[in-house]
């Protein structure tokens, strides 16, 4: 409902996504991140134009389980590679895979029906293929991407997060979040600017 | 030339007074600077983004695009003609059933290898100089593999049956024959293309977000916004992102070695003299990296000049690449001589003949073009003056590209044309369709590459920033004696930290 009064809405009506604190260099961001971590906040994040080394420890980010999942994806590829070749080239089984399919026992250049050495290249390629697809797909999934309508992306100041500015965002859903107190806290960390991000 | 704000100090190569910084010298205990004339992060952003953001690219871009696009037209015509008339329009004959098609296929797959080597192997070895060149080397890989994939696709004769290459359930209950190297090739090249594309795209996500956040037009905001997937530089995201990137590098390293090994199996697993050798897999991989780096140099030299990227693709990057060309060139030379030795040492009559015939038979000229381009000429890179001379390295890289194309031609055609029985021998002469299709594939490659240069960040912005000394939170500039704590350190950021300032940098 846009009316003429809408230009000055009461601040309390707008929901706040969180508080955005701007820093100009990775060093001050890192010091601030350590203090935010020690203050016990949980729903907060740093936003940087590149991966800042050591920031994971400063924030207390736990190691991702991504490699274990990717290992699983790789094993799936290995199995698919083996089963695909053993079924289609070494068996005469019929089975249902969306349609009925039947294997054909190829006899080629006197090789045994189940000639594993000749199957290795395809098994290897499928292992790599599924691991790579898994690494990228699961990384995006764990990161919650794509997310094109995130509140931060609507913030003008935040545009420089992909250029040369460093941000800490403490979200309002954090149990320790109190707008005025958290704002004071972020300012005490040496933030250049602290402002609210609308939800 | 184009709408770049003249106040920007970050237009690098376009400025007439650009001073090329010689950062090739090794100073023990100090890391050489990989980025010249820049000490602020947004200078990197601006310098890379100005290409995609400028109203019009330089004139040379239009000229190159026009040429490439007309060659694509030629390619389209030749391929259509081939489909209508059949593979007889090529100069193939009874013993020589593979010639330009497979030569081009192996050539283009080989070109692709440098991109993956730079993005994966140099990443695992923590070679930070890769950041200046990895993005467009990866793009080059993808476009080269597209060109490569074209040739096996069109050479099968009955193209409407090309789906037989894949294990698709069909009405004949027929499956591919998985013991054949030709089928391994389908999986190797397919996987290679997919993984290279993923690697490239994952690297692009943060940089597309940078372009999104700077975009003025609605179309740009939408397109860059869509493909950057809503990336917002969250450190929790960066953490998984870096892990995924490392995993991709670790997966691509054996992959890149496997792809050209599998391509070489197409030949080595057969019993034709000249093909049936165990040296082929490593020899093909070395040759692939050799030709790929030559192509990176061929593309990097004009690109850095034209788009003002000399501050990020410095002389040191080019020097390093030339060293790799020298090393792999020597490996290739070793393989050539070892092939000859083994042919003699094996005592096999046909092997011995195949190699003597290669050097002195009906394709002697192709063989000696190959040797002089791949083994003799790259030796000039022992001299630093040549390694760091822009015009000379450009010419040498072209020479290597030519030599590597001839290498594949020599291996394929000379072995096929003169096999076991002299009565079955013949001579292959390319037709105009052969020639035009090859030229057309270069046009396709050029078109894709030029479009990439125009619309996507040619250099990995986020990665370049991360290699700058300022990216390290413990860098001394952030802890200048006057400033303790966060508040004062921003001043230190703008106090010039590097001694590489050119007079024209503001």
């Amino acid at each position: 409902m846009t009316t003429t009064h809408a230009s000055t809405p009461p601040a309390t009506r707008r929901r706040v996504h969180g508080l955005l604190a701007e820093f100009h260099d990775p060093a001050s961001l890192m010091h601030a991140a350590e203090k935010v971590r020690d203050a016990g906040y949980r729903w907060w994040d740093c936003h940087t134009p590149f991966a800042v080394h050591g920031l994971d420890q400063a924030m207390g980010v736990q190691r991702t389980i991504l490699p274990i999942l990717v290992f699983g994806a790789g094993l799936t590829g290995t199995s698919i590679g083996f089963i695909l070749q053993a079924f289609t080239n070494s068996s005469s089984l019929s089975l249902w895979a969306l349609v009925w399919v039947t294997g054909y026992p190829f006899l080629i250049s006197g090789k045994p029906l189940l000639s594993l050495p000749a199957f290795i290249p395809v098994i290897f390629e499928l292992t790599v293929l599924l691991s790579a697809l898994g690494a990228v797909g699961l990384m995006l999934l764990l990161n919650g991407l794509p997310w094109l309508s995130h509140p931060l992306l609507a913030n003008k100041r935040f545009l420089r997060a992909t250029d040369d500015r460093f941000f800490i965002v403490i979200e309002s859903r954090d149990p320790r979040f109190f707008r005025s107190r958290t704002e004071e806290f972020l300012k005490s960390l040496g933030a250049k600017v602290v402002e609210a991000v609308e939800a | 030339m184009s709408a770049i704000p003249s106040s920007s100090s970050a237009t690098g190569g376009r400025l007439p007074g650009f001073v090329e910084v010689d950062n090739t010298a090794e100073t023990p205990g100090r890391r050489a600077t990989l980025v010249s004339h820049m000490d602020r992060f947004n200078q990197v952003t601006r310098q890379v983004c100005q290409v995609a953001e400028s109203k019009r690219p330089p004139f040379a871009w239009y000229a190159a695009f026009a040429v490439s696009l007309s060659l694509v037209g030629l390619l389209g015509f030749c391929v259509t003609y081939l489909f209508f008339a059949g593979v007889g329009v090529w100069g193939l004959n009874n013993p020589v059933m593979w010639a330009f098609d497979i030569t081009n296929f192996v050539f283009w797959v080989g070109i692709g290898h440098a991109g993956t080597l730079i993005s994966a192997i140099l990443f695992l070895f923590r070679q930070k100089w890769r950041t200046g060149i990895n993005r467009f080397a990866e793009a080059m890989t993808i476009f080269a593999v597209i060109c490569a994939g074209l040739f096996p696709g069109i050479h099968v004769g009955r193209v409407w049956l090309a789906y037989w290459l894949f294990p698709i359930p069909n009405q004949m209950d027929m499956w591919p024959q998985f013991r054949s190297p030709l089928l391994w090739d389908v999986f190797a090249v397919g996987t290679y293309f997919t993984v290279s594309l993923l690697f490239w795209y994952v690297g692009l996500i943060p940089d597309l977000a940078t372009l999104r956040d700077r975009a003025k037009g609605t179309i740009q905001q939408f397109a860059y916004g869509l493909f950057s997937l809503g990336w917002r530089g969250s450190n929790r995201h960066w953490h998984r992102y870096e892990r995924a990137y490392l995993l991709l590098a670790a997966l691509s390293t054996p992959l890149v070695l496997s792809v050209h090994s599998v391509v070489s199996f197409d030949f080595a697993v057969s019993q034709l003299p000249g093909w049936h050798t165990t040296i082929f897999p490593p020899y093909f991989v070395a040759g692939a990296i050799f030709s790929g780096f030559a192509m990176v140099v061929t593309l990097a030299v004009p690109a850095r000049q034209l788009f003002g990227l000399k501050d990020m693709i410095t002389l040191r990057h080019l020097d390093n690449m030339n060293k790799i060309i020298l090393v792999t060139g020597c490996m290739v030379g070793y393989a050539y001589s070892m092939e000859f030795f083994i042919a003699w040492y094996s005592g096999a009559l046909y092997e011995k003949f195949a190699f003597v015939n290669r050097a002195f038979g009906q394709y002697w000229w192709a063989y000696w073009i190959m040797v002089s381009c791949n083994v003799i000429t790259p030796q000039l890179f022992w001299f630093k003056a040549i390694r760091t001379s822009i015009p000379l390295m450009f010419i040498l890289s072209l020479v290597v590209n030519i030599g590597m194309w001839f290498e594949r031609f020599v291996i394929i055609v000379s072995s096929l044309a003169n096999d076991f029985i002299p009565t079955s021998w013949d001579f292959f002469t390319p037709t105009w369709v052969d020639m035009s299709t090859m030229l057309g594939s270069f046009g396709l490659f050029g078109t894709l590459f030029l479009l990439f240069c125009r619309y996507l960040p040619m250099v990995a912005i986020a990665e370049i920033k991360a290699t700058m000394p300022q990216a390290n939170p413990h860098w001394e500039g952030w802890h200048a004696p006057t400033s303790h704590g966060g508040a004062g350190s921003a001043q230190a950021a703008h106090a010039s930290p590097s001694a590489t300032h050119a007079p024209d940098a503001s």
Side-chain angles (χ1 to χ4, degrees):
Chain A
M1 280 288 195
T2 314
T3 64
T4 44
H5 303 292
S7 54
T8 54
T12 48
R13 280 233 200 112
R14 291 278 174 96
R15 279 185 57 238
V16 169
H17 169 75
L19 284 172
L20 178 77
E22 179 178 315
F23 298 86
H24 286 193
D25 62 84
S28 43
L29 174 87
M30 194 137 115
H31 295 310
E34 283 166 350
K35 297 209 179 85
V36 178
R37 175 197 65 194
D38 295 342
Y41 285 99
R42 297 182 63 82
W43 288 97
W44 69 288
D45 209 338
C46 294
H47 296 266
T48 55
F50 51 86
V52 176
H53 286 277
L55 195 55
D56 289 344
Q57 289 88 325
M59 281 180 68
V61 176
Q62 290 197 332
R63 258 178 99 98
T64 170
I65 56 159
L66 187 67
I68 297 163
L69 300 178
V70 171
F71 182 68
L75 282 185
T76 312
T78 313
S79 318
I80 291 176
F82 177 72
I83 293 167
L84 173 74
Q85 297 178 87
F87 168 72
T88 58
N89 277 200
S90 318
S91 82
S92 45
L93 296 173
S94 285
L95 56 86
W96 193 82
L98 298 176
V99 290
W100 278 98
V101 287
T102 311
Y104 186 89
F106 275 89
L107 278 171
I108 298 290
S109 53
K111 286 176 187 139
L113 267 183
L114 204 65
S115 39
L116 192 60
F119 290 167
I120 290 295
V122 172
I123 292 177
F124 171 78
E125 301 298 341
L126 285 178
T127 307
V128 171
L129 181 66
L130 262 78
S131 309
L133 287 170
V136 176
L138 292 166
M139 180 270 283
L140 293 176
L141 193 74
L142 293 173
N143 281 349
L145 296 174
W147 184 351
L148 304 183
S149 62
H150 195 275
L152 281 172
L153 297 176
N155 185 293
K156 279 269 179 291
R157 189 172 292 280
F158 193 71
L159 288 177
R160 286 180 78 172
T162 54
D163 183 5
D164 63 345
R165 288 291 186 261
F166 302 81
F167 295 93
I168 289 181
V169 175
I170 300 182
E171 292 182 31
S172 56
R173 61 177 153 177
D174 191 287
R176 285 171 191 268
F177 182 90
F178 293 103
R179 175 129 181 211
S180 51
R181 219 190 294 164
T182 307
E183 196 166 339
E184 278 309 306
F185 172 64
L186 283 170
K187 276 184 182 151
S188 75
L189 300 180
K192 299 285 168 202
V193 184
V194 179
E195 67 174 40
V197 182
E198 287 166 9
Chain B
M1 201 173 278
S2 58
I4 294 164
S6 57
S7 61
S8 158
S9 66
T11 45
R14 301 269 184 98
L15 296 178
F18 182 83
V19 186
E20 189 101 64
V21 175
D22 183 13
N23 53 353
T24 56
E26 300 291 348
T27 321
R30 272 200 67 212
R31 283 189 188 280
T33 53
L34 293 172
V35 177
S36 64
H37 300 121
M38 290 193 280
D39 53 17
R40 270 177 271 161
F41 299 126
N42 77 336
Q43 288 176 315
V44 179
T45 315
R46 255 187 295 165
Q47 189 156 342
V48 179
C49 293
Q50 43 101 357
V51 182
E53 287 167 357
S54 64
K55 287 266 186 305
R56 257 181 240 103
F59 175 75
W61 186 91
Y62 284 105
F65 193 70
V67 173
S68 303
L69 205 58
S70 20
L71 288 176
V72 173
L74 182 66
L75 178 70
F77 174 76
C78 288
V79 170
T80 314
Y81 180 49
L82 174 83
F83 287 174
F84 275 87
V87 285
V89 297
W90 289 343
L92 304 178
N93 53 44
N94 194 345
V96 189
M97 306 234 185
W98 281 358
F100 266 42
D101 47 354
I102 302 301
T103 302
N104 290 332
F105 163 68
V106 181
F107 172 77
W108 281 118
V109 176
I111 294 295
H113 277 56
T116 322
L117 185 99
I118 291 168
S119 51
I121 299 179
L122 295 188
F123 180 79
L124 294 183
F125 283 126
R126 300 283 187 270
Q127 293 296 306
K128 288 192 170 173
W129 62 275
R130 70 181 268 289
T131 54
I133 49 171
N134 72 334
R135 171 66 43 73
F136 75 84
E138 286 166 22
M140 179 198 79
T141 294
I142 290 160
F143 306 146
V145 177
I146 290 174
C147 291
L150 175 77
F151 286 97
I154 62 173
H155 99 301
V156 291
R158 292 178 290 170
V159 277
W160 51 96
L161 299 179
Y163 73 92
W164 286 6
L165 290 167
F166 306 100
I168 301 168
N170 54 54
Q171 74 282 9
M172 298 164 292
D173 264 358
M174 201 179 65
W175 294 110
Q177 203 274 93
F178 279 103
R179 295 179 189 89
S180 160
L182 300 183
L183 199 70
W184 304 345
D185 229 13
V186 174
F187 280 81
V189 176
T191 302
Y192 185 47
F193 178 72
T194 315
V195 175
S196 305
L197 192 66
L198 282 176
F199 212 152
W200 185 60
Y201 181 61
V202 166
L204 267 172
I205 293 173
D207 294 354
L208 289 174
T210 304
L211 279 168
R212 170 200 68 199
D213 290 347
R214 292 168 56 89
K216 301 280 189 288
T218 320
I219 300 167
Q220 286 93 324
Q221 278 175 346
F222 178 77
Y224 291 131
L226 190 64
F227 286 103
S228 59
L229 307 178
W231 180 262
R232 47 188 193 277
S234 151
N235 191 57
R236 294 176 199 276
H237 292 182
W238 274 120
H239 173 67
R240 298 191 191 96
Y241 175 95
E242 293 227 294
R243 225 357 86 161
Y245 202 83
L246 180 68
L247 286 170
L248 277 182
L251 291 164
S252 304
T253 300
L255 178 68
V256 69
L257 301 179
S258 86
V259 174
H260 232 56
S261 299
V262 169
V263 169
S264 80
F265 290 159
D266 290 346
F267 308 101
V269 174
S270 81
Q271 295 181 351
L272 196 69
W275 284 8
H276 188 63
T277 60
T278 49
I279 202 174
F280 261 25
Y283 156 35
F284 267 50
V285 172
I289 292 164
F290 178 56
S291 65
F293 267 92
M295 190 59 107
V296 177
V297 172
T298 309
L299 297 172
V301 166
R304 73 197 278 274
Q305 182 79 33
L306 212 55
F307 298 113
L309 299 173
K310 287 182 180 178
D311 285 328
M312 283 165 289
I313 305 169
T314 64
L315 220 46
R316 188 180 182 86
H317 295 85
L318 298 169
D319 182 41
N320 283 348
M321 287 195 275
N322 293 336
K323 284 177 185 166
I324 293 181
I325 292 177
L326 174 62
V327 170
T328 46
C330 291
M331 288 184 194
V332 167
Y334 168 79
Y336 294 162
S337 48
M338 194 44 75
E339 275 187 320
F340 261 84
F341 171 73
I342 293 294
W344 168 76
Y345 189 67
S346 70
L349 175 70
Y350 298 108
E351 280 294 321
K352 270 197 263 187
F353 169 76
F355 281 92
V356 173
N357 181 55
R358 221 176 242 187
F360 304 106
Q362 52 188 356
Y363 289 106
W364 63 269
W365 44 272
Y367 183 84
W368 292 108
I369 291 176
M370 166 188 105
V371 170
S372 46
C373 291
N374 290 350
V375 185
I376 299 167
T377 327
Q379 301 305 319
L380 290 171
F381 279 144
W382 284 108
F383 302 100
K384 189 174 176 181
I386 294 173
R387 280 205 308 273
T388 52
S389 152
I390 303 284
L392 284 178
M393 73 171 82
F394 184 68
I395 294 165
L396 280 177
S397 73
L398 289 177
V399 166
V400 170
N401 281 322
I402 294 167
M404 284 308 292
W405 190 89
F406 271 96
E407 180 198 293
R408 278 67 183 248
F409 180 81
V410 165
I411 291 173
I412 293 169
V413 175
S414 80
S415 307
L416 280 172
N418 306 105
D419 62 354
F420 299 97
I421 311 168
T423 49
S424 71
W425 291 359
D426 207 339
F427 185 78
F428 166 81
T429 319
T431 63
W432 65 269
V433 186
D434 277 314
M435 290 294 200
S436 313
T437 313
M438 181 185 67
L439 272 178
S441 72
F442 279 90
L444 177 62
F445 179 75
T447 306
L448 293 170
F449 192 78
L450 286 163
L451 286 175
F452 156 74
C453 289
R454 176 74 181 99
Y455 294 108
L456 290 173
M458 234 186 304
V459 174
I461 307 173
E463 286 187 49
I464 283 269
K465 285 177 189 163
T467 61
M468 290 165 74
Q470 291 84 347
N472 182 356
H474 305 295
W475 177 60
E476 63 267 26
W478 303 132
H479 301 277
T482 49
S483 65
H484 288 290
S489 51
Q491 274 74 35
H494 300 296
S496 161
S498 83
T500 56
H501 260 297
D504 58 343
S506 62

